[in-house]
Amino acid sequence: MIKKIAFTVLITFLFTPTHAPAQMKNVIEIYDIEQETVIKTITITSFIRKDSDKVLQGISSIYKKFNPLPEKGLLVKIPLDPAIHVTNQWINSLVDELIIFYPEEDEPFILIYDDENSTYFFTIDRKVPEEILFTLLFHH
């Protein structure tokens, strides 16, 4: 029962529209999966925007786990305005939101939506998302 509630809360967080208030358009949210709550919000910077582009351009493969949602770890929701165009062998689309998963016991991976709101989970180069997380967690 608790897993169903946690899953529902996580899905609600993931699918909450980012086009609500104008000031929320530039706010990054860090979500603790186990606590089921946003633990920090930060205004997006040009540094994070550039690193987000690096993450999207550095997609290495499709994430293949059956259940991609980890039980523990962090999730970082980064709005991208203007949207970033991503072209590779799996997707050719504008991406206006990047969600980076930092599972406690696994490698980081991302979730993006295409122009038709289809979801895609991808593996990525580990270095850039770790730099982003470090910057976000210790940003004042």
Side-chain angles (χ1 to χ4, degrees):
M1 179 69 166
I2 292 174
K3 284 186 178 183
K4 286 183 183 180
I5 293 170
F7 182 74
T8 303
V9 169
L10 183 59
I11 292 301
T12 302
F13 173 78
L14 291 175
F15 294 103
T16 302
T18 58
H19 51 275
Q23 70 249 44
M24 290 301 288
K25 190 188 272 190
N26 293 318
V27 174
I28 298 167
E29 296 176 311
I30 301 175
Y31 182 85
D32 185 297
I33 297 167
E34 189 174 24
Q35 292 178 18
E36 301 176 8
T37 187
V38 174
I39 59 170
K40 191 169 187 177
T41 58
I42 302 163
T43 303
I44 196 164
T45 64
S46 60
F47 172 77
I48 298 299
R49 169 111 179 126
K50 286 177 191 172
D51 277 355
S52 297
D53 189 28
K54 287 181 194 175
V55 167
L56 290 169
Q57 303 312 324
I59 291 172
S60 57
S61 182
I62 293 177
Y63 189 77
K64 297 177 180 161
K65 288 195 174 182
F66 178 71
N67 180 10
L69 303 176
E71 291 183 24
K72 294 181 180 182
L74 298 175
L75 183 149
V76 177
K77 185 175 173 184
I78 304 171
L80 302 170
D81 185 28
I84 295 174
H85 191 257
V86 177
T87 302
N88 59 37
Q89 66 191 53
W90 303 284
I91 188 169
N92 180 7
S93 183
L94 286 173
V95 176
D96 62 2
E97 181 177 78
L98 170 62
I99 300 171
I100 305 174
F101 287 84
Y102 296 92
E104 195 170 276
E105 299 178 10
D106 207 350
E107 297 291 317
F109 62 95
I110 63 171
L111 164 65
I112 59 175
Y113 306 94
D114 67 9
D115 296 334
E116 297 165 4
N117 283 329
S118 297
T119 57
Y120 296 90
F121 289 90
F122 292 109
T123 59
I124 49 176
D125 176 35
R126 184 181 180 118
K127 184 181 177 200
V128 174
E130 286 180 347
E131 290 172 1
I132 289 174
L133 182 61
F134 182 81
T135 301
L136 293 175
L137 289 176
F138 298 104
H139 182 271
H140 300 293

